[in-house]
């Protein structure tokens, strides 16, 4: 093969703007479309939207908000392992049917110490235990708010405690809490040992968020990113998270594979690997990494990426999704594909699903929400939120993500820093995205996401065509361009 043949054999690395979904025969109305989809082999979301593990996108608040709406956030790793574990714990404690890691006190604890614990854990009621976790009382804010700070918990606690057992159903618990006008129901075993805690707050929240995705214990689903080389962090997170994402820009790398094998062996959470961009990479993940639960695909398409500018290397998300999907199909696997980077609207997600993706990961879209950790700033009379790439100089200053883009020896930046328009609450964005996606599925005639894989047909758009399919020949409010 000559060098010139490289042009002849070059693949077409198509991106979202290059294609359009062809409308097909349809028997359904858009609101009948079902957007449930898998984020990992054993985890189904009620809508296929996932937030990026970036420190201007996903911390506990975003992860909680997304899980409550049926989606998922991936906690970023640009912090110490303890801080990331803490974020995961916060997500898991946000609501539960039965809280398992119950904070308890002893009768000998002073009121002063108790007030300190209330502040530290941001909770207002504790079961009181002695002799190997045996329940002897319950103490709440009401018992201590006016009490002398030198008194002991044993002096002020309520000794007659209403309790439940592992068999108590949600409805029974609700009835008990209501009848006795109480907020907390300790769950005990036959020896009165505390096994958990049910709270009015959690039960009410369950009704408030009927679409939430929860684990077996009724806690919100949570995912977190790790470097493939940080086995200790993965093990520490494993107690709290449902999914671990290995988080590197170019996962198809021998060292990453070897390190990930250890993680796969040591953790019980599902492990999604990435990012990858080619058929060969997906094939290697499926055949060399036993137990992989998902593939995160797309290299260099992100709105804050400068990887492809700096290195001319990359695999646009749409192209990467189609490549990985073919490998998954050829190997008869059911590993879901998460399309990551460059997604701006529901239409981009629809075409990613059309080429075999199961979910979409977004940074830019979610960075603009009130639940993201980025700073809110006012610029020329409008609100924006700070957003930067994890390979940008700003992110790299915090040493924890240096290995995502390079070993510290490779001193280049692969991301930029800036602001995105403030978009309000994540729940509003999600309904807009869900509505848009269902409309696209309506055009295709696909009732479910697997039907999108089968039925959706694409056409290529020329550069001039791309201009025509966007609003044109009209003066839009806020624009100073003549039609
Ligand atoms: P969007 O387009 O949603 O993309 O903002 C988010 C995704 O971009 C990736 N990411 C980066 N890629 N340099 C890169 O080349 C970076 O600094 C960078 N930071 C994030 C990541 O996959 C994310 O989910």
């Amino acid at each position: 093969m000559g060098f010139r043949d490289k042009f002849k054999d070059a693949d077409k690395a198509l991106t979202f703007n290059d294609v359009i979904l062809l409308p097909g025969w349809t028997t359904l109305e858009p609101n009948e479309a079902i957007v449930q989809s898998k984020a990992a082999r054993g985890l189904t979301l009620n809508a296929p939207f996932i937030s990026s593990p970036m420190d201007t996108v996903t911390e506990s608040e975003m992860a909680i908000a997304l899980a409550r709406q049926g989606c998922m956030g991936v906690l970023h790793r640009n912090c110490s392992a303890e801080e990331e574990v803490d974020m995961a714990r916060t997500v898991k404690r946000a609501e539960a049917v039965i809280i398992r890691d119950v904070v308890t006190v002893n009768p000998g604890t002073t009121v002063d110490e108790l007030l300190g614990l209330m502040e530290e854990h941001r909770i207002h009621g504790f079961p009181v235990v002695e002799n190997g976790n045996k329940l002897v009382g319950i103490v709440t804010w009401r018992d201590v708010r006016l009490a002398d700070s030198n008194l002991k918990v044993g002096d002020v606690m309520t000794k007659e405690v209403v309790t439940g057992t592992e068999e108590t159903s949600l409805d029974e618990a609700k009835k008990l809490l209501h009848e006795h006008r109480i907020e907390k129901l300790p769950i005990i075993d036959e020896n009165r040992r505390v096994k958990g805690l049910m709270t009015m707050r959690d039960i009410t929240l369950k009704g408030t968020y009927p679409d939430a995705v929860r684990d077996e214990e009724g806690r919100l689903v949570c995912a977190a990113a790790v470097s493939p080389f940080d086995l200790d962090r993965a093990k520490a997170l494993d107690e709290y998270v449902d999914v671990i994402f290995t988080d590197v820009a170019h996962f198809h790398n021998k060292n990453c594979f070897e390190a990930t094998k250890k993680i796969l062996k040591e953790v019980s959470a599902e492990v999604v690997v990435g990012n990858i961009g080619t058929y060969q990479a997906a094939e290697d993940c499926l055949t060399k990494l036993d137990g992989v639960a998902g593939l995160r695909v797309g290299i260099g398409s992100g709105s804050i990426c400068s990887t492809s500018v700096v290195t001319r290397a990359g695999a646009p998300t749409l192209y990467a999704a189609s490549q990985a999907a073919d490998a998954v199909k050829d190997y008869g696997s059911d590993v879901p594909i998460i399309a990551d980077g460059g997604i701006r609207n529901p239409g981009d997600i629809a075409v990613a699903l059309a080429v075999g993706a199961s979910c979409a990961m977004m940074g830019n879209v979610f960075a603009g929400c009130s639940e993201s950790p980025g700073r809110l700033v006012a610029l020329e009379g409008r609100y924006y939120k700070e957003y930067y790439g994890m390979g940008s100089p700003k992110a790299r200053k915090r040493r924890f993500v240096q290995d995502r883009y390079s070993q510290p020896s490779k001193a280049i930046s692969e991301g930029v820093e800036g602001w995105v328009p403030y978009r309000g609450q994540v729940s509003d964005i999600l309904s807009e995205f869900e509505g848009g996606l269902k409309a696209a599925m309506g055009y295709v005639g696909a009732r479910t996401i697997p039907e999108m894989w089968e039925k959706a047909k694409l056409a290529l758009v020329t550069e001039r065509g791309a201009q025509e399919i966007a609003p044109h020949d009209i003066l839009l409010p806020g624009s100073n361009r003549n039609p």
Side-chain angles (χ1 to χ4, degrees):
M1 190 183 82
F3 287 114
R4 282 176 297 165
D5 294 326
K6 291 198 184 187
F7 298 126
K8 212 173 68 205
D9 298 337
D11 245 354
K12 279 205 176 68
L14 295 173
T15 76
F16 299 117
N17 277 350
D18 293 326
V19 298
I20 195 158
L21 276 176
L22 288 176
W25 165 248
T26 186
T27 55
L28 84 151
E29 292 305 319
N31 62 5
E32 291 166 0
I34 298 163
V35 291
Q36 275 187 343
S37 197
K38 280 191 174 181
R41 283 182 78 188
L43 175 67
T44 301
L45 303 182
N46 287 325
F49 313 128
I50 301 175
S51 66
S52 299
M54 301 171 70
D55 59 8
T56 46
V57 181
T58 315
E59 292 191 343
S60 344
E61 199 182 339
M62 177 63 76
I64 291 169
L66 284 169
R68 282 181 172 158
Q69 304 294 333
C71 306
M72 187 170 81
V74 186
L75 299 169
H76 74 84
R77 64 180 181 90
N78 200 10
C79 55
S80 68
E82 293 71 36
E83 285 167 323
E84 194 176 355
V85 169
D86 227 40
M87 293 194 272
R89 194 184 295 130
T90 306
V91 179
K92 286 296 179 192
R93 288 193 68 100
E95 41 186 279
V97 173
I98 301 183
I99 297 169
R100 290 296 174 185
D101 63 341
V102 187
V103 187
T104 55
V105 293
N106 299 314
T109 309
T110 65
V111 165
D112 212 25
E113 286 165 342
L114 187 78
L115 290 171
L117 285 172
M118 284 183 173
E119 193 162 324
E120 183 188 335
H121 296 283
R122 278 181 257 132
I123 45 184
H124 288 117
F126 301 83
V128 186
V129 297
E130 61 184 3
N131 298 335
N133 216 22
K134 276 197 183 154
L135 185 73
V136 291
I138 189 157
V139 62
T140 71
W141 170 240
R142 263 189 264 170
D143 301 319
V144 293
R145 67 185 155 170
L146 298 174
D148 181 335
S149 60
N150 293 321
L151 283 175
K152 301 268 168 67
V153 162
D155 304 323
V156 293
M157 70 187 188
T158 305
K159 294 194 177 100
E160 310 240 310
V161 192
V162 184
T163 56
T165 67
E166 295 286 351
E167 276 68 49
T168 307
S169 72
L170 210 61
D171 282 341
E172 285 162 353
K174 210 164 155 181
K175 213 164 144 225
L176 279 172
L177 291 166
H178 176 68
E179 268 171 20
H180 297 273
R181 304 287 190 272
I182 51 174
E183 293 289 322
K184 293 186 180 349
L185 187 73
I187 302 300
I188 55 171
D189 67 7
E190 58 285 3
N191 298 317
R192 289 193 73 74
R193 274 194 300 258
V194 175
K195 291 288 161 192
L197 189 70
M198 289 171 112
T199 74
M200 187 59 117
R201 183 180 162 273
D202 288 329
I203 292 172
T204 327
L205 282 174
K206 200 162 171 8
T208 315
Y209 300 106
D211 291 332
V213 223
R214 300 169 198 277
D215 63 18
E216 282 165 3
E217 296 188 12
R219 302 174 303 175
L220 294 173
V221 85
C222 182
V226 300
S227 154
F229 306 106
D230 201 345
L231 180 61
D232 288 344
R233 184 183 290 235
K235 278 162 59 180
L237 284 163
D238 195 33
E239 192 184 336
Y240 298 102
V241 304
D242 306 278
V243 192
I244 286 177
F245 279 67
T246 63
D247 179 47
V248 277
H250 180 39
F251 180 77
H252 196 205
N253 162 312
K254 183 170 181 283
N255 289 334
C256 289
F257 269 54
E258 292 311 315
T260 301
K261 281 181 189 163
K262 291 191 194 136
I263 294 184
L264 281 162
K265 250 194 224 131
E266 300 260 351
V267 302
S268 58
E270 307 233 24
V271 179
V272 173
V273 297
N275 283 37
I276 56 165
T278 61
Y279 182 98
Q280 174 80 61
E283 182 179 42
D284 284 346
C285 291
L286 296 174
T287 54
K288 295 184 180 152
L289 296 175
D290 204 18
V292 156
L295 303 174
R296 178 179 168 202
V297 308
I299 296 173
S301 281
S303 60
I304 31 49
C305 297
S306 52
T307 297
S308 301
V309 179
V310 177
T311 64
R312 251 303 147 214
T317 304
L318 189 64
Y319 170 82
S322 69
Q323 292 267 316
D326 273 342
V328 166
K329 199 166 165 198
D330 290 350
Y331 282 86
S333 164
D334 61 350
V335 161
I337 290 160
I338 298 169
D340 170 29
I343 290 164
R344 293 146 302 181
N345 50 48
D348 289 344
I349 298 177
V351 286
L353 299 179
V355 298
S358 288
C359 283
M361 178 176 273
M362 292 172 275
N364 187 307
V365 167
F366 290 128
C369 298
S370 47
E371 290 87 347
S372 77
R375 263 185 318 132
L376 183 70
V377 293
L379 295 174
E380 294 172 2
R382 293 210 173 146
Y383 283 113
Y384 294 84
K385 286 203 89 168
E386 180 181 39
Y387 181 45
Y388 52 79
M390 298 312 286
S392 68
K394 185 146 190 181
R396 284 159 54 93
K397 259 192 222 138
R398 297 173 77 181
R399 66 194 163 79
F400 302 99
V401 282
Q402 292 212 351
D403 60 359
R404 181 178 154 90
Y405 291 90
S406 58
Q407 297 304 326
S409 60
K410 196 170 125 194
I412 53 157
S413 292
E414 295 187 27
V416 298
E417 314 167 11
W419 294 273
V420 291
Y422 175 61
R423 288 166 168 258
Q425 289 193 333
V426 84
S427 54
D428 294 336
I429 304 295
L430 291 172
S431 26
E432 184 189 319
F433 270 64
E434 191 170 323
L437 179 57
K438 285 182 169 180
M441 291 168 75
Y443 276 109
V444 170
R447 194 172 294 276
T448 62
I449 288 172
E451 275 189 31
M452 277 296 271
W453 303 337
E454 265 171 49
K455 292 189 177 170
K457 291 203 168 67
L458 297 174
L460 300 184
V461 191
T462 61
E463 207 171 312
R464 272 196 269 163
Q467 282 170 20
E468 187 184 291
I469 58 176
H472 56 92
D473 295 300
I474 177 170
L475 181 64
L476 294 170
S479 140
N480 53 11
R481 276 210 332 244
N482 280 328

